[in-house]
Amino acid sequence: MTDETKKAGEDPKLVKSSHFFTLLPISFPCSLLVRRAMQRAERDSASLLTAQRSTRTKYVLVVGIGYVLFAAHWARDSLGALELPLESAPMNLTVREYNSLSAGYFGPNLPTPLIAGMMAQKIGPGPVYVLFLAFALAGNLCVATAAMASASAAYGWLFVGRLLMGISYEAADMVPIGLLSPHFKDNWSTVVGLLNGGNRLGSVSNFLIEPVLLARHGLRAALLLPSILGASTFFVGLCVRRLEARIQRSKTAAARADSSSSTGGSGSSCSCSEASGGDGGDGGD
């Protein structure tokens, strides 16, 4: 027992008890602050891991869309490398028939950008992307059927196939802008350059490889390869759609976590300050 306590005639147990009750209003909110800080650190580490995974997923998304553009442009230009063989035996297309294949392909490109843009604005770019790639699947299957059909039926299958492929062509080029641009705001120009390179790589590969394939394996093989590549774009498009939806879910979850942590932190700060203010008032009394 100290001299001051003796002079005051106070019981030491009562003094310690008063100190405990004085510190209690401060210690409780401060412990809440420590707990919330630990929870926030755990969320931040989880958010960092989620962000790293999201970054990898975004670049896989670019690769997928780049492949779609590569294959679509190969399939688009395939008949350009095969004009003379198509106008010769066994198909024997006339010049007018061959030109109609190009007209049927590029004709739908007049209304498609507007229609695809309006649909993407209303229901989102992901579903529209897959929808138009379904036309590419159907069109390339028709071209593959033409490669296997008789000479008399080949032109009809070719025309229908090229028409369906043309419906999807511009949509496959423009709809990915809405898919990718929200995820690459800082380096969008680089992404555009990569995608444009995919376009050109498909065209160049077609004109380099198709003549070799024609010389070694014939017209049927030269028509089947671009058809297989073009048809595969639908299935890659499905994967792109799922990846993009996963990125959106990750962003939404991260935003909710940040919002809850900031709300919880501000609430704890208010509790602590209120408790401190209350103690100061008691001390003044």
Side-chain angles (χ1 to χ4, degrees):
M1 181 179 297
T2 61
D3 295 338
E4 293 179 357
T5 305
K6 291 179 179 179
K7 293 178 181 178
E10 296 178 352
D11 188 353
K13 295 182 179 180
L14 293 178
V15 173
K16 292 180 181 179
S17 176
S18 64
H19 288 168
F20 171 77
F21 286 108
T22 301
L23 294 174
L24 181 62
I26 303 176
S27 61
F28 179 69
C30 288
S31 64
L32 286 179
L33 279 176
V34 173
R35 182 183 176 187
R36 290 188 181 276
M38 294 175 63
Q39 292 175 343
R40 184 169 185 177
E42 292 176 357
R43 281 194 295 266
D44 288 344
S45 61
S47 299
L48 180 59
L49 181 60
T50 302
Q52 291 173 346
R53 290 175 178 173
S54 178
T55 300
R56 289 195 297 267
T57 305
K58 288 192 298 183
Y59 283 103
V60 173
L61 197 68
V62 173
V63 172
I65 291 176
Y67 171 80
V68 170
L69 295 173
F70 165 81
H73 278 253
W74 185 318
R76 181 198 73 175
D77 294 333
S78 60
L79 295 193
L82 302 174
E83 178 178 0
L84 294 179
L86 288 171
E87 294 174 357
S88 305
M91 288 198 177
N92 293 315
L93 298 183
T94 65
V95 174
R96 177 172 294 182
E97 286 175 338
Y98 176 82
N99 290 335
S100 69
L101 297 177
S102 296
Y105 185 93
F106 289 103
N109 288 276
L110 297 174
T112 294
L114 178 61
I115 295 172
M118 293 173 64
M119 293 177 65
Q121 186 72 27
K122 188 171 184 179
I123 64 176
V128 175
Y129 190 58
V130 174
L131 172 64
F132 277 91
L133 287 180
F135 285 100
L137 172 64
N140 282 283
L141 290 178
C142 287
V143 174
T145 303
M148 308 295 293
S150 62
S152 59
Y155 169 72
W157 284 108
L158 275 175
F159 183 81
V160 173
R162 296 293 287 183
L163 182 67
L164 293 172
M165 290 167 62
I167 293 174
S168 71
Y169 167 64
E170 281 293 342
D173 270 9
M174 60 169 284
V175 173
I177 296 174
L179 280 171
L180 291 176
S181 57
H183 308 304
F184 292 94
K185 295 179 181 180
D186 296 331
N187 50 357
W188 175 239
S189 299
T190 303
V191 173
V192 170
L194 291 173
L195 296 179
N196 192 57
N199 289 346
R200 300 300 166 252
L201 182 61
S203 297
V204 171
S205 299
N206 164 72
F207 286 106
L208 287 177
I209 296 175
E210 287 291 321
V212 177
L213 195 62
L214 176 67
R216 294 186 178 183
H217 302 284
L219 181 60
R220 178 174 294 178
L223 287 173
L224 285 177
L225 176 60
S227 298
I228 293 171
L229 290 173
S232 68
T233 60
F234 172 74
F235 303 101
V236 176
L238 288 175
C239 296
V240 165
R241 169 71 179 121
R242 292 184 64 182
L243 286 174
E244 198 271 338
R246 184 186 300 176
I247 294 173
Q248 292 291 355
R249 288 195 298 269
S250 298
K251 284 189 171 182
T252 302
R256 288 176 179 174
D258 291 341
S259 176
S260 62
S261 62
S262 62
T263 303
S266 62
S268 300
S269 299
C270 291
S271 300
C272 191
S273 62
E274 289 173 0
S276 300
D279 293 339
D282 293 338
D285 293 334

